[in-house]
Amino acid sequence: SHDEVARLIQSTGVITTSFGRRRIFFGRLNDRETLKEAVAYEPQSTVVDMLDLGLLRIWHHMVKAGRPIRLLQQGHDSLLFMVPQGLEAETLISEVRHHLDVQLPIRGRICRIPTEVKAGPSWGDMAPFNSSRFHEAMKQFNERMARLADSPMAELLALPCG
């Protein structure tokens, strides 16, 4: 609670997360802004640590095993992967969800962070995985790719680079 964090900050100036990450607060320990930072620190830090643990599991169980998945970007509380299209994508996404399901005891309770999965042929076309919007975006993408394959651009795309 806010009161617990306020007492802790005012007495020690330190917050320690469930993962053991410590932050020392050097500001005015009675200041409202310092308290806001301290209250936000544990949940924000814990989310990132849980995400990192899930990412480590993905690397260990999927990437090292040669699964066709590539991490493109890690944001503050998100991961962006590239996987092949088709039926294998569903299997890979299911595996990713499994590895991101990190359970952590916090103050005597088991906590987990829900995972939302979006997919699509491009960043702008992403939609909740297996939703009708996702399937429509994939259909449009495949139609664009088919038109491109039949266009004069296809010859240019086939030229070697360098």
Side-chain angles (χ1 to χ4, degrees):
S1 80
H2 284 69
D3 294 335
E4 290 175 50
V5 172
R7 280 192 295 276
L8 191 59
I9 286 297
Q10 290 166 4
S11 65
T12 67
V14 176
I15 296 284
T16 304
T17 70
S18 299
F19 279 96
R21 186 184 301 270
R22 293 181 63 211
R23 178 172 174 195
I24 301 170
F25 289 84
F26 295 106
R28 295 182 180 147
L29 301 181
N30 291 323
D31 184 63
R32 180 170 149 60
E33 287 304 309
T34 302
L35 179 59
K36 278 176 55 178
E37 284 182 40
V39 166
Y41 175 69
E42 184 168 11
Q44 289 176 352
S45 175
T46 300
V47 165
V48 171
D49 287 339
M50 289 175 84
L51 193 63
D52 286 346
L53 181 56
L55 186 55
L56 184 61
R57 289 175 173 178
I58 290 166
W59 179 81
H60 182 73
H61 295 285
M62 296 178 75
V63 176
K64 273 181 68 176
R67 306 288 282 143
I69 183 169
R70 180 177 293 156
L71 177 67
L72 299 179
Q73 178 181 346
Q74 179 179 10
H76 172 71
D77 60 356
S78 65
L79 300 170
L80 177 65
F81 291 100
M82 182 170 65
V83 298
Q85 286 188 45
L87 295 177
E88 190 174 20
E90 290 188 40
T91 302
L92 292 168
I93 289 170
S94 178
E95 287 180 54
V96 166
R97 272 192 158 140
H98 170 74
H99 294 303
L100 288 175
D101 186 15
V102 175
Q103 298 179 30
L104 179 69
I106 299 177
R107 297 188 187 107
R109 295 175 57 190
I110 298 296
C111 297
R112 54 193 334 174
I113 297 173
T115 304
E116 177 184 79
V117 176
K118 292 183 178 180
S122 69
W123 189 286
D125 293 323
M126 293 211 316
F129 185 65
N130 270 341
S131 66
S132 59
R133 199 170 122 222
F134 164 75
H135 290 294
E136 182 60 30
M138 291 307 296
K139 179 181 169 195
Q140 290 174 5
F141 173 75
N142 289 327
E143 288 169 357
R144 286 193 308 260
M145 292 296 104
R147 283 193 306 273
L148 182 61
D150 293 335
S151 76
M153 281 296 278
E155 292 177 29
L156 293 174
L157 293 173
L159 292 174
C161 295

